[in-house]
Amino acid sequence: MKKKLQAPHAPPQIEHICEDETLESETEPVLSLSISYPALPDEGPAFRRINRYYRQLVQTLRTRWTNEYYHAACTCAAAMRANSHPFAPWEATLSFTVTLCTQETLSLFFTVTEHFSGVRPVSVLRGDTWELSGGSPVSLHTLFPEKGWKKRLLHAVTDEGSARLARGESLFFEDWQVRAVSHFSADRFYLTPDAVVLFYPLCLIAPYLEQTVCFSLPYASAQPDAVSD
């Protein structure tokens, strides 16, 4: 694998599909939905396979939000009215950011956020990387087939995290290095032109205020000469 991915001249155009909706109960807004997802050109089975994946993701979330989540918002609104308390409509959001798009590879992350009365927003980040010729997901093992790639990436995470702490840029749990290893998932990554980005969800290695913790690691970090085995 090349240490740096170069974008070709004609990557596919990614369309942003946006769907906003406000759900009401007895004419009162109780739930605001904001949904944004990617769509590749309708050209060939590979692109259509990827598009189906994101349409299914949207459908799954919409089903949750317009059923159990909506009914919970209605119940909360009714209880607030009964006690003469103000009610702020709940919110649910799906958004995405493309981080790499070439003729061969598409990588992005999307964030699902739910925000309801009296509770801090809960956000879940997920990364997807696709091989565009076949419409298949790309794994870290595919990117870094050499033995020991996980050890090298985790070593780079430790170095980057320690440097952030030394600069006072981050606040991690005291045992964050142990947690970084035990909570590592090869599914939680996305790519940029210069780096592979590993991330840890809320409160796994750092307090809530740090949100999702991301480590941008140069591709060379996983190469066999990066760390002595």
Side-chain angles (χ1 to χ4, degrees), residues 159-217:
D159 285 348
E160 173 61 22
S162 298
R164 288 190 203 176
L165 290 173
R167 295 191 298 264
E169 297 176 354
S170 298
L171 177 64
F172 298 152
F173 293 133
E174 185 176 350
D175 61 343
W176 74 272
Q177 295 186 34
V178 175
R179 290 169 176 253
V181 174
S182 61
H183 292 296
F184 170 81
S185 171
D187 295 327
R188 292 197 293 260
F189 79 96
Y190 57 87
L191 306 180
T192 70
D194 301 295
V196 54
V197 180
L198 304 184
F199 58 89
Y200 291 84
L202 286 171
C203 300
L204 282 189
I205 68 170
Y208 177 89
L209 61 87
E210 289 286 333
Q211 298 292 300
T212 299
V213 180
C214 298
F215 296 94
S216 182
L217 310 175

Side-chain angles (χ1 to χ4, degrees), residues 1-221:
M1 177 184 172
K2 296 181 180 179
K3 296 183 180 180
K4 180 176 180 179
L5 300 180
Q6 300 289 342
H9 296 295
Q13 295 298 309
I14 310 297
E15 182 180 2
H16 287 58
I17 307 297
C18 298
E19 301 174 358
D20 296 332
E21 183 179 0
T22 299
L23 281 64
E24 299 181 344
S25 174
E26 299 180 4
T27 72
E28 178 185 13
V30 295
L31 177 58
S32 174
L33 303 182
S34 180
I35 297 173
S36 177
Y37 62 97
L40 290 161
D42 189 19
E43 301 171 357
F47 284 9
R48 295 189 188 105
R49 185 176 300 116
I50 295 171
N51 286 340
R52 283 196 301 272
Y53 169 85
Y54 288 111
R55 288 197 299 269
Q56 181 58 52
L57 170 65
V58 169
Q59 183 57 48
T60 298
L61 289 172
R62 183 178 288 279
T63 297
R64 164 178 161 72
W65 289 340
T66 58
N67 287 278
E68 58 187 277
Y69 196 61
Y70 167 70
H71 293 310
C74 291
T75 299
C76 180
M80 298 293 274
R81 284 196 303 268
N83 290 280
S84 300
H85 293 158
F87 172 78
W90 291 13
E91 299 174 359
T93 303
L94 169 66
S95 61
F96 78 97
T97 299
V98 174
T99 56
L100 178 70
C101 185
T102 71
Q103 287 181 325
E104 297 83 16
T105 306
L106 170 65
S107 192
L108 57 86
F109 67 83
F110 61 85
T111 306
V112 179
T113 302
E114 296 181 351
H115 189 190
F116 43 97
S117 300
V119 179
R120 293 180 297 188
V122 176
S123 294
V124 176
L125 185 146
R126 175 166 174 174
D128 287 332
T129 300
W130 301 93
E131 185 271 308
L132 291 177
S133 64
S136 301
V138 176
S139 67
L140 281 177
H141 179 67
T142 301
L143 290 169
F144 306 112
E146 298 89 353
K147 183 178 178 180
W149 61 268
K150 178 179 176 181
K151 175 183 177 181
R152 290 186 287 271
L153 285 178
L154 287 172
H155 188 277
V157 164
T158 298
D159 285 348
E160 173 61 22
S162 298
R164 288 190 203 176
L165 290 173
R167 295 191 298 264
E169 297 176 354
S170 298
L171 177 64
F172 298 152
F173 293 133
E174 185 176 350
D175 61 343
W176 74 272
Q177 295 186 34
V178 175
R179 290 169 176 253
V181 174
S182 61
H183 292 296
F184 170 81
S185 171
D187 295 327
R188 292 197 293 260
F189 79 96
Y190 57 87
L191 306 180
T192 70
D194 301 295
V196 54
V197 180
L198 304 184
F199 58 89
Y200 291 84
L202 286 171
C203 300
L204 282 189
I205 68 170
Y208 177 89
L209 61 87
E210 289 286 333
Q211 298 292 300
T212 299
V213 180
C214 298
F215 296 94
S216 182
L217 310 175
Y219 290 113
S221 299

